[in-house]
Amino acid sequence: MGIDTTRASIARVYDAALGGTDNYAIDREVLAQVARAAPEVKDLAWSNRQFLIRAARFVVDQLRIDQFIDCGSGLPTAENTHQVVQRLNDEATVVYVDNDPVVLAHGRALLEENERTHLVDADIFVPEDVLGHEGVRKHIDFDRPVALLHVGTWHHYLDDDAPDLMRRYIEAFAPGSAVVLSHFFDPETAELSPLARRMEELFIHSPMGSGRFRTRAQIEALFGDLRMIEPGVALCDLWWPDGPKIRPLNQVEQCIAGGVGVKE
């Protein structure tokens, strides 16, 4: 599959927001469009990335899970999931799932020498394609706990059946498995909801074509009946921060939330 440089790529827009170089003008234009309404738009990506790092560390250290399926892995950057978890457990296995041709090309090149880290081509919004993928089945033991990461993915799925799709994922995993998930967030306050909806409108009508801001109840529904680790669904920056929060969160940082749930 070739690279369509006339349409923005979710992975490349995210890369641009994090200051990467694997992106095109069309991807940077998405951020520029949203920045006209929300100048700190890049902070969505940074809040998401820092949440991913802390949550992955928590799962391998506290839940003792050593198998990870990272959906929508995006372009390689600093502190990827496998780097975080293998630093704590060098026997941890990570399978990245993506179908962006740029991600697949870059990722496979970088992971060639890591025998416990793999990348497969599948649509993360079709659970059966991921769960039944030969590469996933080869490296993940579904009889043992698995950590499923859907970090910054579901806001790119615009339909209302996302909770059902997540349920199909969760049903496939053994007790003790965990879900790590983050999502663009509409706080439903008079001050922040208009900003969230404006960013949503701009993202969806940009060359990227997606970026839905769901409410707390809608994000919680993605976890189904999982037992939520305290504090439940929270702003990404406030989910077990590494230190005290001295600087107040800006408005954009209050529009992305995440959580970790455990299957009992």
Side-chain angles (χ1 to χ4, degrees), residues 201-237:
E201 179 183 357
L202 290 166
F203 271 125
I204 290 176
H205 293 96
S206 75
M208 186 170 70
S210 62
R212 183 172 175 184
F213 284 68
R214 290 183 168 94
T215 65
R216 181 178 302 278
Q218 290 172 321
I219 297 173
E220 288 173 343
L222 296 170
F223 288 95
D225 295 329
L226 297 180
R227 174 177 61 85
M228 298 302 295
I229 299 296
E230 291 295 332
V233 172
L235 296 181
C236 283
D237 284 288

Side-chain angles (χ1 to χ4, degrees), residues 66-73 81-82 85-86 92-98 111 114-122 124 129-131 133-142 146-150:
D66 61 2
Q67 304 183 100
F68 293 76
I69 301 175
D70 187 346
C71 292
S73 54
T81 300
H82 72 281
V85 302
Q86 289 172 358
T93 296
V94 178
V95 177
Y96 292 110
V97 185
D98 213 306
L111 298 178
N114 189 317
E115 63 181 15
R116 292 192 175 275
T117 306
H118 314 277
L119 176 63
V120 303
D121 180 358
I124 64 172
D129 285 3
V130 175
L131 298 170
H133 193 286
E134 179 183 3
V136 174
R137 287 286 167 180
K138 178 180 179 181
H139 300 293
I140 299 294
D141 181 357
F142 283 81
V146 177
L148 175 71
L149 277 59
H150 257 282

Side-chain angles (χ1 to χ4, degrees), residues 128-198:
E128 290 75 18
D129 285 3
V130 175
L131 298 170
H133 193 286
E134 179 183 3
V136 174
R137 287 286 167 180
K138 178 180 179 181
H139 300 293
I140 299 294
D141 181 357
F142 283 81
D143 291 327
R144 299 194 299 111
V146 177
L148 175 71
L149 277 59
H150 257 282
V151 178
T153 58
W154 285 107
H155 45 244
H156 298 297
Y157 184 84
L158 304 184
D159 294 338
D160 293 328
D161 62 340
D164 179 62
L165 299 179
M166 276 300 299
R167 177 186 56 78
R168 284 148 58 183
Y169 269 117
I170 293 167
E171 286 177 348
F173 299 129
S177 296
V179 168
V180 178
L181 187 149
S182 64
H183 199 293
F184 290 168
F185 174 49
D186 178 356
E188 297 183 281
T189 66
E191 179 183 19
L192 294 172
S193 190
L195 174 65
R197 292 305 168 192
R198 180 61 176 153

Side-chain angles (χ1 to χ4, degrees), residues 6-146:
T6 66
R7 180 178 175 83
S9 153
I10 294 167
R12 297 196 311 260
V13 171
Y14 188 56
D15 175 72
L18 292 174
T21 58
D22 295 311
N23 53 78
Y24 299 106
I26 192 73
D27 307 302
R28 296 187 291 274
E29 178 57 25
V30 172
L31 294 174
Q33 289 180 20
V34 181
R36 293 172 192 134
E40 301 94 351
V41 62
K42 291 183 179 180
D43 289 340
L44 286 172
W46 283 108
S47 294
N48 188 68
R49 171 60 55 169
Q50 295 300 323
F51 166 78
L52 167 63
I53 293 169
R54 296 195 308 276
R57 196 170 61 217
F58 168 82
V59 168
V60 71
D61 183 44
Q62 296 297 315
L63 301 182
R64 291 295 193 242
I65 295 176
D66 61 2
Q67 304 183 100
F68 293 76
I69 301 175
D70 187 346
C71 292
S73 54
L75 287 160
T77 183
E79 294 296 275
N80 295 285
T81 300
H82 72 281
Q83 295 167 317
V84 174
V85 302
Q86 289 172 358
R87 188 176 298 125
L88 294 171
N89 180 355
D90 59 10
E91 295 187 354
T93 296
V94 178
V95 177
Y96 292 110
V97 185
D98 213 306
N99 61 358
D100 185 299
V102 177
V103 172
L104 296 172
H106 282 253
R108 284 171 178 154
L110 289 176
L111 298 178
E112 282 182 351
E113 298 181 0
N114 189 317
E115 63 181 15
R116 292 192 175 275
T117 306
H118 314 277
L119 176 63
V120 303
D121 180 358
D123 186 341
I124 64 172
F125 301 131
V126 182
E128 290 75 18
D129 285 3
V130 175
L131 298 170
H133 193 286
E134 179 183 3
V136 174
R137 287 286 167 180
K138 178 180 179 181
H139 300 293
I140 299 294
D141 181 357
F142 283 81
D143 291 327
R144 299 194 299 111
V146 177

